[in-house]
Amino acid sequence: MNSSSRHLRLTAAALTALAVAVGATACSSGSGSSGTAGAGSGTYTVWDPYPQFDKGSAWAKLLDQCGTKAGVTIKRTAFDTSDLGNKTLLAAQQGNAPDVLIVDNPVVSTLAEAGVLTTTEDNKLDTSKTDPNLLAAGQSGGKTYGTPIGANTLALYYNKKVLKEAGVDIATVKDWTSLTAALEKVKKAGKKGITFSAIGTEEGSFQFLPWFWGSGAKLTELDSPQAVSALSLWQGWLKNGYAPNSVLNNTQTTSWQEFASGDYAFSENGTWQLAGAKKAGLDYGVLPIPGTDGGTAAAPTGGEFVTVPVQKDTGRYTTSQKLVTCLTSTDNLYTTDTTLSYVAPTSEVQDRQVAADSGLKPWVAAVRTAKGRTSDDLGTKYPTISEQLWKAVQSALSGSKSPKDALTSAQAAVK
């Protein structure tokens, strides 16, 4: 599609969505300058959310290698995740968007709806090897905008020592009933049960979603009986002392710090805590979050998409496609996702990761059933839904409303 058939739609919904959708996973802060060189200059710009990687890093070297392979020079700028979406909208409005943009997956549909991104049909990017559930996070209106570079998600870390002292066999934890029974045993043994983040932000929604989806609920119907059962589960854990009241203010970081103390049996957290788990010296295991009646619940996907923004000179797309294809090739995905503590977006690379590190097996299982927060064509509707969801969680866990009343109010506010 040429540039004359597109226009930038900087709607209030798009700007609000960007403000809300980037808060679920932690990234280092950084800054950089914008600017795309003109076509034919031999310089292509890449923007990414990895300021923690400097010019000498493996990531920066990979970008340069892909540029050399495509016959161009790469000008890379790294931004903090929370800044990147808004910087991209502004640059697109000024006709100065980067050639390749690597952006947090919930932001993709917002940028797409604003007319900032080309589709894979436009840029001829092959996504056939990408797992469909992960690709869905970058789809909107039946079109695909980019490809994931990797994914992270949530699972349950468990402390083997605490469970052993409480007489809990982790193999028996298969659904909500058996998990709650395990928490009861842990409490009776004088230990602490489970910690998570239920803070009144996107992080709270992010952590609640596996239980919400694991109940069979849908984000288009917040007040369904299934949704009520999920919120009732969390509320019951607090009432019975299986989870601390601190979850109301916990971020994923402070929740992890509680678990790292060694006192808790379980912690809901992500792949990004693997290094911290090893550093803490915990004898831990990882269990995919169970659905209400068993199986693995869908957890929300974190991680970034590699996209190609709209350019006035559509002739640039051919080289941009070569750059994206290089960055997401099998060998490069394996190296990059190991560096980022991500699970790869293709089964082929996932199998290689597990072969190299068997500890990644539960994470691969979780990612293979994960779901994008903006999937189901929610797009810019998701931030509004998410805000009402975390408000409902806060109301129920604080005791100000019943789970049913809190979710009824949430659904009414969304409508």
Side-chain angles (χ1 to χ4, degrees), residues 123-142:
N123 56 49
K124 310 304 180 187
L125 185 64
D126 182 8
T127 60
S128 60
K129 291 184 179 180
T130 306
D131 288 356
N133 67 311
L134 301 180
L135 192 63
Q139 294 174 328
S140 180

Side-chain angles (χ1 to χ4, degrees), residues 349-360:
V349 183
Q350 290 167 5
D351 291 342
R352 283 182 61 180
Q353 289 180 303
V354 172
D357 182 358
S358 60
L360 290 175

